Amino acid sequence: MSSLKGRNFLTLMDFTPDEIRHFIDLAGRFKKMKKDGAAHDGLRGKNIALIFEKTSTRTRCSFEVAAHDLGMQTTYLDNSGSQLGKKESIEDTASVLGRMYDGIEYRGFGQERVETLAKYAKVPTWNGLTDEYHPTQILADMMTVREHFGDEKGKKFVYMGDARFNMGNSLMIGCSKLGLHFTACAPSKYFPNEELVKKCRAWAEESGGSITLTEDTDEAVKNADVIYTDVWVSMGEPAEVWEERIKELTPYKVTMDKMNKANPNAIFMHCLPAFHDHKTTVGKEMGEKFRFEDLEVTDEVFQKYSTVLFDEAENRMHTIKAVMAATLGYEV
Ligand code: CP
Ligand code: NVA
């Protein structure tokens, strides 16, 4: 395996299956050390910048806690508190940050922004979510599948909903590299783009996995080990698309009926945040407007699998720690 030191973490596509498994193994060791109270602060003296052009709970907290556990200092930059995009180009910002920081996390809009940042900063740059990809989430998801089933390889992993955005794309990449059988289940206009599907099919062939695209929910959930969904409208999309999404994606809502048609020990997963009740502003507004108790997943399913969901959220921190540590040259 080539060294991970100095590498960017932008899409997961340029990592081999062994390298991806290495991140997950390293995350497992960090998780154990954290639970045992064993110090793992080998990156003392380093500094990282965390750029968030979109909001976040899990990703931001994971980067901050992981960095501090590793001994690093962090600087958080958002739209209101920096010049990025408004008074300074991403190229110039990157050139400046690269002189001060050892690594940079970026969450925002188009993938080209994080790619440009990486190119000009010349320090390891980590994608904390763009419209196209959410690669750190995939490591946490695969770690959670492994913890739950003992191994991720060969599992049938079904993604329901808008499969052409960051989560659908990145899960398809991760599953195809690690030998899972990935199914995207949605109306065909929500399938991932053909070029990416083609690449993933080639990786799946090598890893023993497969890629299936279907509109048929019964076919999708049959023999499923994991049923996964994400919000129907992602950050940065206009509010006007809600009505159409609700109409088109409601048949793909994850319900107990769908879970009951999967394997008996199947689990439900979600990157979170989720609209499973009216306890959020958007959930309440959309729920009342379209007369729904929930959106992409019922509250019953969410509650039944809440331990898995919060394990998955916790694993964001351990896997992000592994990504930063490995790319900055610290292994345990
Ligand atoms: N799953 C995830 O990325 O969550 P946040 O948007 O809270 O970071
Ligand atoms: N698809 C979602 C993922 C959130 C973690 C979004 O981009 O808003």
Side-chain angles (χ1 to χ4, degrees):
M1 194 178 72
S2 61
S3 170
L4 296 169
K5 187 174 177 188
R7 302 266 298 270
N8 296 312
F9 190 85
L10 301 177
T11 66
L12 211 59
M13 284 194 266
D14 53 341
F15 289 97
T16 65
D18 277 347
E19 288 170 339
I20 297 171
R21 282 189 284 268
H22 179 80
F23 283 125
I24 300 171
D25 293 343
L26 182 59
R29 294 196 286 278
F30 278 132
K31 184 169 183 173
K32 181 159 189 320
M33 290 174 90
K34 174 113 177 155
K35 305 267 169 204
D36 292 346
H40 46 283
D41 54 353
L43 293 175
R44 273 183 316 278
K46 296 205 182 287
N47 292 283
I48 61 165
L50 306 174
I51 303 174
F52 281 84
E53 293 192 296
K54 289 177 177 170
T55 53
S56 168
T57 297
R58 275 146 291 273
T59 310
R60 176 182 175 180
C61 297
S62 294
F63 271 98
E64 293 209 14
V65 172
H68 298 153
D69 285 351
L70 291 168
M72 299 193 286
Q73 304 290 324
T74 56
T75 304
Y76 176 76
L77 297 163
D78 67 9
N79 291 337
S80 62
S82 72
Q83 314 288 20
L84 185 65
K86 296 181 295 291
K87 287 171 66 181
E88 189 161 49
S89 68
I90 197 131
E91 289 88 338
D92 292 354
T93 303
S95 301
V96 173
L97 296 180
R99 300 287 183 105
M100 299 184 191
Y101 291 93
D102 301 285
I104 303 173
E105 179 276 353
Y106 172 86
R107 165 172 288 200
F109 297 89
Q111 178 69 14
E112 71 286 353
R113 290 176 75 71
V114 71
E115 307 268 350
T116 305
L117 194 61
K119 181 172 167 199
Y120 286 87
K122 300 190 180 76
V123 294
T125 300
W126 310 297
N127 180 354
L129 178 147
T130 57
D131 291 346
E132 293 88 345
Y133 305 109
H134 194 8
T136 61
Q137 179 73 48
I138 308 316
L139 296 182
D141 295 343
M142 293 300 139
M143 182 178 185
T144 309
V145 171
R146 186 186 289 185
E147 285 176 344
H148 196 84
F149 294 108
D151 192 3
E152 65 280 1
K153 200 169 161 62
K155 295 286 171 287
K156 180 171 178 183
F157 193 109
V158 180
Y159 179 86
M160 296 248 170
D162 184 357
R164 58 193 177 163
F165 215 74
N166 43 29
M167 283 310 306
N169 290 343
S170 289
L171 284 168
M172 182 168 71
I173 295 167
C175 287
S176 64
K177 293 242 174 189
L178 295 184
L180 289 85
H181 300 292
F182 178 81
T183 297
C185 182
S188 58
K189 72 183 252 201
Y190 294 96
F191 287 168
N193 76 65
E194 279 176 29
E195 200 189 325
L196 185 61
V197 171
K198 205 169 147 210
K199 280 187 190 157
C200 289
R201 287 216 157 107
W203 292 320
E205 198 149 304
E206 281 178 30
S207 68
S210 61
I211 307 289
T212 304
L213 309 177
T214 180
E215 296 192 316
D216 183 336
T217 57
D218 280 343
E219 180 198 326
V221 301
K222 190 168 175 221
N223 299 324
D225 297 298
V226 179
I227 299 182
Y228 197 113
T229 193
D230 180 19
V231 291
W232 290 340
V233 177
S234 286
M235 288 183 275
E237 294 197 280
E240 296 81 76
V241 301
W242 267 109
E243 185 161 0
E244 185 185 58
R245 293 286 164 83
I246 288 177
K247 196 162 135 249
E248 295 176 342
L249 293 176
T250 294
Y252 299 86
K253 180 195 296 264
V254 181
T255 58
M256 275 317 296
D257 181 51
K258 291 191 183 73
M259 292 305 305
N260 289 336
K261 289 178 181 159
N263 271 347
N265 59 352
I267 55 172
F268 168 69
M269 295 178 71
H270 192 309
C271 53
L272 305 182
F275 295 125
H276 57 95
D277 56 26
H278 285 198
K279 292 181 191 162
T280 62
T281 319
V282 176
K284 186 169 186 306
E285 190 189 328
M286 295 304 149
E288 285 174 355
K289 188 163 169 196
F290 299 103
R291 290 196 291 277
F292 277 125
E293 292 304 311
D294 40 52
L295 291 166
E296 71 275 10
V297 57
T298 65
D299 193 47
E300 191 183 8
V301 172
F302 188 93
Q303 299 306 343
K304 178 164 180 201
Y305 297 95
S306 61
T307 306
V308 176
L309 292 166
F310 296 123
D311 282 347
E312 185 186 358
E314 178 191 326
N315 286 339
R316 296 297 311 287
M317 199 280 287
H318 305 299
T319 45
I320 281 172
K321 188 181 281 177
V323 168
M324 289 195 290
T327 55
L328 293 175
Y330 175 48
E331 298 275 343
V332 293

